[in-house]
Amino acid sequence: MLLPEAVEALSALAHGHRLAVFRLLVRAGADGVPAGEIAREVGVLPNTLSTHLTILGHAGLVRSRREGRSVIYSADYDGMGELLGFLVADCCDGRPEICAPLAAVALGCCPSK
């Protein structure tokens, strides 16, 4: 991930509702959550949610798929991994033991595809 993409992803997460949506989707796993349920859980209007999901999608943090009449959203774990990797790429001035706990969290959090 390059700096402009990292800035876009971090900017997308730098809003309370978008961060709440992203965290909800990360917790939900690969199955994802229908848009209506996200709106209820986060407490935003559907049109506002649509804007937030678009921003998160453009930042590479959220994916969507259609199932019948519903749109299901899920966290983009590849995008999340790239952002986490960017944040720790130059970590610790050659002392990996400092970042080891972060790596353990990142490796243990994401469901396999």
Side-chain angles (χ1 to χ4, degrees):
M1 176 174 277
L2 300 174
L3 183 62
E5 289 87 12
V7 169
E8 183 177 8
L10 291 169
S11 294
L13 294 173
H15 182 281
H17 286 131
R18 288 194 295 269
L19 183 57
V21 167
F22 183 70
R23 294 188 73 207
L24 171 72
L25 295 176
V26 168
R27 283 191 307 274
D31 291 340
V33 181
E37 187 177 329
I38 296 169
R40 283 188 298 279
E41 288 283 328
V42 176
V44 296
L45 296 172
N47 60 335
T48 303
L49 176 65
S50 178
T51 300
H52 292 317
L53 288 167
T54 297
I55 292 168
L56 289 166
H58 284 232
L61 297 171
V62 169
R63 294 181 179 181
S64 65
R65 69 182 185 280
R66 184 162 290 284
E67 286 186 6
R69 295 177 64 192
S70 297
V71 178
I72 308 298
Y73 291 89
S74 57
D76 185 329
Y77 293 102
D78 291 335
M80 183 175 84
E82 288 178 23
L83 179 59
L84 292 172
F86 176 85
L87 291 172
V88 298
D90 301 318
C91 183
C92 313
D93 193 31
R95 296 175 32 218
E97 69 279 3
I98 295 172
C99 288
L102 293 175
V105 168
L107 290 173
C109 76
C110 301
S112 57
K113 297 175 189 127

